[in-house]
Amino acid sequence: SLIKGSTATAEFSAYVSSDITVNDTTDTLLTFQTELFDTDGVYNTSNGRFTAPSDGKYFLGTNVWTYDASSKITSQNISFYINGAEKLRQQFISDNLLFQKFDSQISTILNLSQNDYVQVYMYVNTTDNTSLAVESSSGVYQNTFYGFRLPT
């Protein structure tokens, strides 16, 4: 007998190729400016949107590494927004420690309808109320947004 398997579609991976400034206590859209690949043209590097090409279940993930030169990070959130509204959040809060660098990751499976779009937002809090950077890195993909449609 012949066993057929479905393959994933709508595969994309993008990374930060130019530093992004994240202001203190402000929800900031992260736009991953450069694609590693985008098999079906589902990710837009100008507005940071992954747009579902069809109804289905999608695996999406992001990894965001932040840097604060003055070592004052006390909390950090990354969130998936669907169609402009926050739907999923990963949150880090420190009680007494201050951080100079912090890495956040979030991944999930979402049931999306055709033309639903997903974006990554970040919120940080520092003790000195200053901005911090989501940095690019030559040859290292340390800040990424990626995903694919699960086979049916």
Side-chain angles (χ1 to χ4, degrees):
S1 73
L2 177 63
I3 299 175
K4 290 186 178 182
S6 297
T7 58
T9 59
E11 304 160 325
F12 79 99
S13 181
Y15 65 96
V16 171
S17 56
S18 180
D19 292 0
I20 300 171
T21 299
V22 178
N23 292 320
D24 190 55
T25 65
T26 304
D27 288 315
T28 303
L29 170 64
L30 301 182
T31 302
F32 301 81
Q33 309 102 341
T34 303
E35 295 175 330
L36 288 168
F37 57 87
D38 185 356
T39 60
D40 296 310
V42 294
Y43 181 74
N44 186 320
T45 58
S46 64
N47 61 18
R49 288 183 179 182
F50 161 77
T51 302
S54 60
D55 295 355
K57 291 181 176 46
Y58 292 83
F59 173 84
L60 296 173
T62 188
N63 180 72
V64 181
W65 182 85
T66 52
Y67 175 72
D68 180 1
S70 57
S71 301
K72 303 293 184 177
I73 301 171
T74 60
S75 67
Q76 177 170 302
N77 302 342
I78 55 172
S79 301
F80 283 144
Y81 279 55
I82 302 174
N83 300 327
E86 184 182 37
K87 295 296 181 185
L88 184 66
R89 176 188 310 153
Q90 185 276 343
Q91 186 172 35
F92 157 77
I93 299 173
S94 173
D95 189 24
N96 292 314
L97 300 174
L98 302 177
F99 292 85
Q100 181 180 48
K101 302 173 185 177
F102 198 80
D103 183 47
S104 296
Q105 299 176 3
I106 190 171
S107 61
T108 192
I109 296 172
L110 296 171
N111 192 24
L112 299 175
S113 297
Q114 183 176 13
N115 295 323
D116 281 349
Y117 65 90
V118 180
Q119 294 170 296
V120 178
Y121 277 78
M122 172 163 267
Y123 179 94
V124 297
N125 193 4
T126 63
T127 59
D128 58 357
N129 301 317
T130 59
S131 62
L132 53 85
V134 174
E135 294 184 324
S136 62
S137 180
S138 178
V140 177
Y141 309 123
Q142 64 190 15
N143 295 296
T144 58
F145 181 29
Y146 50 90
F148 56 89
R149 185 177 189 276
L150 296 171
T152 55

